[in-house]
Amino acid sequence: MTSCLPALRFIATPRLGAMPHIDNDVKLDFKDVLLRPKRSTLKSRSEVDLTRSFSFRNSKQTYTGVPIIAANMDTVGTFEMARVLCKFSLFTAVHKHYSLDQWQEFASQNPDCLEVNYICLDVANGYSEHFVEFVKDVRKRFPQHTIMAGNVVTGEMVEELILSGADIIKVGIGPGSVCTTRKKTGVGYPQLSAVMECADAAHGLKGHIISDGGCSCPGDVAKAFGAGADFVMLGGMLAGHSESGGELIERDGKKYKLFYGMSSEMAMKKYSGGVAEYRASEGKTVEVPFKGDVEHTIRDILGGIRSTCTYVGAAKLKELSRRTTFIRVTQQVNPIFSDVS
Ligand code: 5GP
């Protein structure tokens, strides 16, 4: 009998602090909420002003525009996209795979579209100490550039990156339409809650945030702004257009465009000669039905957000988050014709 004792003693005295922690607060995604309409004096959505002006904490630069950004993916952040989006005062984070010659040609033909005083430091995991040091280093070397850095999803890391010199923090781990991070790693954070918590942290330090990923319709973009995002970055919603990158495919008389994550096997084969042995791809490839010119989609998104603002009584996009009350829902759309767009 005595031989059982050591084992019993081991079970009865677990090592303190070794237990995993569960955060029992419910964290929400765009699909879990709707915006509650409010009494308003606005007569028409045409009265709504979607432009915003910001003054950045560290660069001291100012910005005025409609704060929606095409993602820095080679299928979305193209020169063709930038040319159209700049007509609507939207940003395009141009992807990093253009050559210097291509840049020179674009710059000479579109001098009005260029904003060269922004630097986007984009890594899948913005939590590494190495990345924080990198942000500090870039801030030292480019004191007057506006630095966007990410991605992170929690307030303490937003604060650390801002205090290290970043102006705008990219928020989102795992919500992207072609992202497989949550499946491959089990890591992530529901995007609406991430935006609410990170916006609060950033605004406390006079910093700004981008809600990056997870928007599937104009209503989601409005919810991201309502949650406190200063900018919203879009990938999937801008994919599949004439201006998007990715191969055009025709099958059974229907057109599709390839859209893939920047850490997908397809992107890694294209740019780095394949997936390195020590890592797994964290993105996938999809075929998006061809949607024609992106201008229609942009008008649809901007029209949707203007309408959101009239429902909650916000005359300006700036007022949207102050006028926002989210209600938790179990269903947001009627699914009866869900296959019909
Ligand atoms: P979407 O608007 O398509 O939902 O999300 C776009 C965002 O997904 C991008 O801005 C970027 O942050 C993220 N993303 C793009 N490619 C990948 C990828 O291959 N893996 C992961 N984890 N995220 C990606």
Side-chain angles (χ1 to χ4, degrees):
M1 283 302 281
T2 49
S3 63
C4 290
L5 271 176
L8 275 175
R9 207 175 293 136
F10 178 73
I11 292 165
T13 55
R15 281 184 297 134
L16 281 177
M19 259 211 356
H21 176 76
I22 294 185
D23 184 349
N24 276 313
D25 287 351
V26 176
K27 304 293 177 187
L28 302 172
D29 256 308
F30 297 130
K31 68 164 187 13
D32 302 316
V33 299
L34 287 167
L35 286 135
R36 191 163 86 182
K38 290 197 173 130
R39 243 178 65 223
S40 140
T41 53
L42 290 169
K43 286 195 203 82
S44 152
R45 65 194 71 179
S46 64
E47 291 174 26
V48 175
D49 179 9
L50 293 183
T51 53
R52 292 215 56 184
S53 292
F54 299 123
S55 175
F56 297 117
R57 179 189 197 269
N58 294 316
S59 70
K60 312 289 180 214
Q61 302 285 341
T62 56
Y63 158 92
T64 298
V66 176
I68 294 175
I69 310 176
N72 51 315
M73 303 168 73
D74 69 343
T75 42
V76 179
T78 62
F79 285 145
E80 293 79 4
M81 188 68 75
R83 223 170 273 145
V84 178
L85 264 54
C86 90
K87 286 196 288 190
F88 292 88
S89 302
L90 265 57
F91 253 165
T92 301
V94 175
H95 69 76
K96 65 182 179 190
H97 300 292
Y98 282 119
S99 68
L100 201 57
D101 285 349
Q102 288 172 307
W103 266 109
Q104 274 163 351
E105 192 187 332
F106 176 75
S108 64
Q109 289 169 0
N110 306 275
D112 300 339
C113 279
L114 273 189
E115 289 273 10
V116 286
N117 47 351
Y118 288 81
I119 298 173
C120 181
L121 304 177
D122 179 26
V123 292
N125 172 7
Y127 282 78
S128 82
E129 227 171 75
H130 178 70
F131 183 62
V132 174
E133 291 309 313
F134 189 71
V135 171
K136 285 183 191 164
D137 191 41
V138 174
R139 169 51 69 212
K140 244 185 247 150
R141 284 197 273 163
F142 300 93
Q144 284 165 11
H145 278 64
T146 299
I147 300 176
M148 307 171 175
N151 281 26
V152 299
V153 284
T154 49
E156 91 282 359
M157 209 57 208
V158 167
E159 287 166 0
E160 178 149 5
L161 290 173
I162 290 174
L163 295 172
S164 301
D167 296 287
I168 314 172
I169 308 302
K170 280 175 86 206
V171 174
I173 293 187
S177 57
V178 281
C179 165
T180 56
T181 294
R182 292 179 185 176
K183 271 196 160 169
K184 286 284 166 76
T185 69
V187 176
Y189 211 98
Q191 186 68 0
L192 184 92
S193 291
V195 169
M196 290 179 75
E197 293 168 27
C198 292
D200 190 45
H203 296 163
L205 289 173
K206 300 207 178 321
H208 294 88
I209 67 154
I210 302 173
S211 171
D212 177 20
C215 287
S216 61
C217 56
D220 289 347
V221 183
K223 289 173 189 177
F225 283 126
D230 303 292
F231 295 87
V232 177
M233 183 170 264
L234 303 177
M237 283 179 69
L238 300 179
H241 295 90
S242 326
E243 296 81 359
S244 319
E247 196 185 328
L248 185 69
I249 299 168
E250 260 192 90
R251 197 180 328 107
D252 303 330
K254 288 194 184 122
K255 288 181 180 166
Y256 304 86
K257 264 198 159 180
L258 282 188
F259 176 49
Y260 47 85
M262 292 313 291
S263 332
S264 64
E265 195 175 335
M266 183 166 283
M268 286 198 261
K269 271 194 183 140
K270 199 166 166 187
Y271 299 113
S272 341
V275 184
E277 233 171 72
Y278 60 89
R279 65 183 290 181
S281 81
E282 284 182 28
K284 62 184 175 187
T285 301
V286 294
E287 293 178 1
V288 182
F290 182 61
K291 294 184 243 174
D293 293 348
V294 77
E295 184 159 341
H296 300 292
T297 300
I298 296 297
R299 286 185 198 283
D300 196 45
I301 296 170
L302 300 184
I305 304 168
R306 274 195 202 98
S307 189
T308 310
C309 288
T310 58
Y311 272 111
V312 302
K316 296 175 174 176
L317 183 58
K318 184 180 179 181
E319 292 164 18
L320 180 55
S321 69
R322 269 181 261 149
R323 309 273 309 178
T324 290
T325 303
F326 288 120
I327 42 177
R328 278 187 69 187
V329 295
T330 51
Q331 176 172 309
Q332 57 163 336
V333 289
N334 181 336
I336 187 166
F337 300 124
S338 58
D339 292 341
V340 186
S341 64

